[in-house]
Amino acid sequence: MRILILGSNGRLGYDVSNFLEKYLSSEFVIIRSNRIDFDLSNFHSLENYIQKISPKFIINCAAYTN
């Protein structure tokens, strides 16, 4: 099964990703994503990315700051 982590380069996403990879990597495939993979401000970009990955779970650690 796949777990998609949105915003894995941020502080929270980095820690969540590392924790899951340490304790769940034998049961799940952890997929890290960041702003290069999709445009958070564009719904269709995010939707297409999620459909391409087909994760069982999504953990949103992404944020749009300006």
Side-chain angles (χ1 to χ4, degrees):
M1 287 191 283
R2 297 172 185 237
I3 298 175
L4 174 61
I5 302 172
L6 304 176
S8 65
N9 283 353
R11 181 176 290 161
L12 176 61
Y14 180 81
D15 289 340
V16 168
S17 298
N18 286 340
F19 178 84
L20 292 177
E21 285 180 349
K22 183 175 181 179
Y23 294 103
L24 296 179
S25 62
S26 63
E27 302 168 38
F28 294 93
V29 175
I30 310 301
I31 302 167
R32 294 174 178 239
S33 69
N34 57 50
R35 71 179 92 194
I36 296 170
D37 300 318
F38 62 91
D39 179 2
L40 183 60
S41 65
N42 181 326
F43 175 78
H44 295 293
S45 173
L46 178 58
E47 181 182 37
N48 290 337
Y49 182 73
I50 291 172
Q51 287 178 351
K52 183 176 82 173
I53 301 297
S54 296
K56 180 74 172 176
F57 301 101
I58 299 172
I59 301 174
N60 183 21
C61 297
Y64 183 75
T65 58
N66 185 354

